[in-house]
């Protein structure tokens, strides 16, 4: 005989829950009133992933699985990046030599002229931003 004081365990499937019920649970979880475990206990939802499925299907937030961190950079990638750094350093050296040659040929000092000009330009742009328009 069954004791009326003992609640019976009824296995349910997702189809047993109405759409309104699912939306209510999703709403409570998304508002932060309950977390998934609390909602599962409060409403007697049996499946561990049931609420997560509802959140992904009916929720307004992004409940998609997060990408896992990949393995550390491979040795091949490191070698490719080191080669790229070497190439960029070589290009930089070539450009610096070209500036030096141009300075010698034209009797100028491009680096000394360029830095103050760029500072003046940035200062004048800041001054324009600081002054209120009429």
């Amino acid at each position: 005989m069954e004791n009326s004081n003992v609640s019976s365990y009824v296995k349910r499937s997702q189809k047993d829950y109405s759409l309104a019920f699912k939306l209510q649970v999703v709403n409570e979880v998304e508002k932060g009133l309950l977390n998934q475990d609390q909602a599962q206990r409060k409403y007697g939802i049996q499946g561990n992933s049931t609420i997560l499925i509802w959140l992904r299907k009916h929720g307004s937030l992004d409940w998609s699985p997060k990408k896992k961190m990949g393995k550390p950079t491979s040795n091949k990638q490191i070698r490719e990046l080191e080669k790229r750094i070497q190439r960029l350093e070589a290009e930089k050296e070539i450009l610096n030599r070209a500036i030096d040659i141009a300075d010698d040929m034209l009797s100028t000092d491009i680096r000394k002229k360029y830095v103050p000009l760029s500072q003046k330009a940035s200062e004048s742009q800041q001054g324009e931003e600081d002054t209120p328009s009429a």
Side-chain angles (χ1 to χ4, degrees):
M1 296 187 126
E2 187 178 330
N3 188 347
S4 61
N5 292 337
V6 177
S7 62
S8 62
Y9 181 77
V10 178
K11 186 165 179 140
R12 301 175 74 178
S13 70
Q14 285 194 41
K15 293 180 182 179
D16 292 336
Y17 301 105
S18 69
L19 179 60
F21 175 76
K22 293 176 186 179
L23 294 176
Q24 176 186 348
V25 173
V26 166
N27 187 31
E28 288 183 28
V29 172
E30 286 192 334
K31 285 184 175 180
L33 302 174
L34 300 171
N35 65 31
Q36 292 178 49
D37 291 333
Q38 292 169 332
Q40 184 179 355
R41 282 191 302 274
K42 177 179 177 181
Y43 294 111
I45 300 167
Q46 294 169 1
N48 290 332
S49 62
T50 302
I51 295 175
L52 181 58
I53 292 169
W54 296 348
L55 288 165
R56 288 181 180 159
K57 188 172 181 180
H58 304 293
S60 59
L61 303 176
D62 180 18
W63 293 97
S64 60
K66 304 296 180 212
K67 292 182 181 177
K68 294 181 180 177
M69 294 296 290
K71 62 181 181 178
T73 306
S74 69
N75 289 338
K76 181 180 177 185
Q77 289 173 313
I78 291 172
R79 285 192 303 275
E80 289 173 0
L81 291 170
E82 287 173 342
K83 285 180 185 178
R84 185 172 181 206
I85 289 171
Q86 288 175 344
R87 188 181 71 247
L88 291 170
E89 290 290 337
E91 288 177 12
K92 177 182 153 189
E93 184 63 33
I94 291 169
L95 291 172
N96 282 329
R97 286 185 190 167
I99 290 172
D100 292 339
I101 292 169
D103 281 345
D104 290 342
M105 290 177 67
L106 301 172
S107 299
T108 63
D109 198 351
I110 294 172
R111 284 186 186 92
K112 285 186 178 177
K113 289 181 178 179
Y114 176 74
V115 172
L117 288 175
S118 64
Q119 287 175 344
K120 279 184 182 178
S122 65
E123 288 172 1
S124 67
Q125 286 177 348
Q126 278 186 330
E128 291 172 2
E129 292 173 1
D130 292 340
T131 55
S133 57

